[in-house]
Every structure is written in structure tokens, then in C-alpha cells.
């Protein structure tokens, strides 16, 4: 078994035909997953988010299962955050995709890692979406943050920048669309671009729902880009909000280039996540300073207190 791009493309193609079902490729990161699935019902229902680990099979297996596996580090991370994980296998010969929910009771452990059987009876079809939606989840909101952590890591590193590139028909709000998340270096050179499909209720322009789609981010216009591309007279006006188009084409298509930065939720999650997963934290910030009396030791502290009472 091995990972390759064919599995990503096939899963995306199949999922694109399912109503209210989104598959997104995930930027590589410490989560160890290749993508995630979001099942969307309405803005009033909690979304269901699952991580996806993809394998590809080069040949037809004589058995009724595909054998998949990985290292224990990633497995520990998934279970610590209770992110439901789907193991998905793309059969290169047939183009079909099969899946299994990763659970503690269907994993086999060894010295080199873990393994799981993905049955060929569980094909990834629209009928399977109902079963996937019923997979229990500790907290969809926590899962959302955990899966988006690689984006947050990029921003926190301060070595790269993250932008949303999109356009919208201002006369016809859409309920379904695709954003492009653009990663650049500090000089603004493009490095990676990822498609980010989404569903929303078309009751307002979707750009005003960006903060719901990325609750961990502060989203603002890319000032340098807007200053360079907007007309000079437009630059003199105070913008009504941070999320605004840099160009409106034919009085119909609004073009946006928006930068994502970490807000307080994003910063807090990264801090908590590092402690949850690796017990990483700054002790001085948590405990503060006790001062020179404490540094002199408990015996000195006790003696000084006794002398004060005399």
C-alpha cells in the first residue's frame, strides 16, 4: 500500500457528486492526515468533520480486505483529540474507493506501528454518507480546530503568510463555492495553493461568513496588494469593513484577496493543543514568578515568617 495523488483526486471527484458533502485536501502537518470530510446540513445544525488518511492499492488483493497502517505517533494524536478518522483506500485498477472508521477495537498493534483491515464491502458511495454521518464525535468544533491546525502552524511560524483568494457574484449569492488558500513566503512569492470547497446557506454573500468558516482567524484585506491594485481615489476612503473586494468586474463579480492571521481563539487553541498532545508549555508564564523569598527556599521562607510573628 502507498499514498499517491490518484487517491486524493478520486475521493474528491466522488465526493463532489454528493449533496452537502465536502472533501478537502489537507496541507501536510503534524496531524498526519491527507484530507478531511465535512458533512453540512444547514447553518443551524452542527457540522460533522472527519479526518481522512488515504492509501492506494496497486493490485487486486485476493483477500476481502485491504491492509493499511501507520506509525503510533499519528495514532496517538488522533485519539487524543477524538477526531473521527476514516481510513480510505483507492483501488488504482477500478477507481473505486473503500473506507473504514478507525477505532480502538479494530486496530492491530505491533512494534513498528498499527494496522487495520479495510473491507471491500464498504465502498465509498452516496449510501455510505449516512453511515459516515453517524460516526460518533466528541466535539465537532474541537475537531474543526484540530484539523485546521496546519494552517495555524503556518501563521504562527512567521515564516509564511496565508491568504484567501476568491470571487463572488454580488447579485446572486451562492450556497456552494471554492476558495483558494494561498501560501506565500514573506516576500510574497507563491509557494502552494489549495482548493477549499464549502457549503453555506445562500442568505447573504459568503464572504461575510468567512469568520464562521475559519473561526480561529482574523481575516483582513491584504493591504499591500489592495494599495497596489485599487484606484488611488478608492484608497483615500475609509473602508466600511476589513473584508472588501479589491476589484468589482463588470459591476457583478467581486474579487477578494484576504490575509488570515491568528485571533485569540487560534492562539489559545495552539497553546492548549501543545500541552494536550506533548505537555509543552512555558512554566514561567503558567506559574509566574514567586520572587526572591521563594528562590531562597522554603526553610528561609518559614523562618522569616516566624520572626515576623515574634
Amino acid at each position: 500500500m502507498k499514498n499517491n495523488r490518484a487517491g486524493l483526486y478520486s475521493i474528491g471527484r466522488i465526493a463532489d457528486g454528493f449533496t452537502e458533502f465536502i472533501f478537502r485536501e489537507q496541507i501536510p502537518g503534524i496531524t498526519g492526515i491527507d484530507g478531511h470530510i465535512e458533512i453540512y446540513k444547514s447553518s443551524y445544525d452542527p457540522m460533522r468533520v472527519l479526518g481522512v488518511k488515504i492509501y492506494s492499492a496497486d493490485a487486486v488483493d485476493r483477500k476481502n480486505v485491504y491492509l493499511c497502517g501507520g506509525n503510533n505517533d499519528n495514532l496517538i494524536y488522533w485519539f487524543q483529540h477524538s477526531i473521527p478518522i476514516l481510513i480510505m483506500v483507492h483501488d488504482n485498477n477500478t477507481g473505486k474507493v473503500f473506507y473504514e472508521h478507525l477505532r480502538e477495537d479494530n486496530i492491530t498493534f505491533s512494534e513498528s506501528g498499527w494496522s487495520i483491515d479495510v473491507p471491500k464491502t464498504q465502498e465509498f458511495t452516496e449510501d455510505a454518507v449516512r453511515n459516515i454521518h453517524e460516526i460518533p464525535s466528541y466535539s465537532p468544533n474541537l475537531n474543526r480546530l484540530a484539523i485546521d491546525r496546519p494552517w495555524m502552524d503556518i501563521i504562527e511560524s512567521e515564516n509564511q503568510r496565508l491568504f484567501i483568494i476568491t470571487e463572488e457574484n454580488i447579485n446572486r449569492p451562492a450556497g456552494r463555492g471554492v476558495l483558494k488558500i494561498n501560501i506565500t513566503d514573506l516576500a510574497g512569492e507563491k509557494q502552494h495553493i489549495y482548493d477549499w470547497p464549502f457549503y453555506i446557506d445562500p442568505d447573504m454573500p459568503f464572504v461575510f461568513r468567512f469568520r464562521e468558516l475559519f473561526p480561529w482567524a482574523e481575516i483582513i484585506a491584504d493591504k499591500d496588494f489592495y494599495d497596489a491594485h485599487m484606484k488611488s481615489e478608492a484608497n483615500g476612503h475609509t473602508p466600511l469593513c476589513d473584508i472588501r473586494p479589491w476589484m468589482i468586474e463588470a459591476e457583478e463579480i467581486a474579487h477578494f484577496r484576504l490575509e488570515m492571521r491568528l485571533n485569540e481563539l487560534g492562539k489559545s487553541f495552539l497553546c492548549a493543543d501543545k500541552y494536550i498532545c506533548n505537555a509543552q508549555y512555558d512554566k514561567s508564564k503558567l506559574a509566574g514568578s514567586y520572587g526572591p523569598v521563594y528562590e531562597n527556599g522554603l526553610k528561609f521562607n518559614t523562618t522569616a515568617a516566624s520572626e515576623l510573628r515574634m
Side-chain angles (χ1 to χ4, degrees), residues 283-303:
K283 294 182 180 179
S284 64
K285 290 182 179 179
L286 284 180
S289 174
Y290 291 97
V293 174
Y294 174 81
E295 293 170 1
N296 288 332
L298 182 60
K299 185 176 181 179
F300 174 84
N301 196 357
T302 305
T303 303

Side-chain angles (χ1 to χ4, degrees), residues 145 152 155-156 211 214-219 260-273:
L145 293 173
M152 302 184 219
I155 300 173
E156 188 187 43
R211 292 187 173 111
F214 304 98
W216 47 267
E218 176 189 2
I219 301 176
M260 289 197 284
R261 301 174 181 174
L262 290 178
N263 61 20
E264 289 304 313
L265 175 61
K267 294 175 183 177
S268 299
F269 171 75
L270 286 180
C271 181
D273 192 57

Side-chain angles (χ1 to χ4, degrees), residues 217-230:
E218 176 189 2
I219 301 176
I220 59 175
D222 178 4
K223 184 178 184 303
D224 293 339
F225 183 90
Y226 279 45
D227 287 345
H229 290 80
M230 294 179 69

Side-chain angles (χ1 to χ4, degrees), residues 61-82:
D61 195 327
R62 294 181 180 179
K63 300 178 181 179
N64 295 321
V65 299
Y66 297 101
L67 180 64
C68 306
N71 66 65
N72 290 330
D73 291 341
N74 288 334
L75 189 68
I76 292 171
Y77 183 89
W78 298 336
F79 283 129
Q80 281 176 330
H81 266 299
S82 301

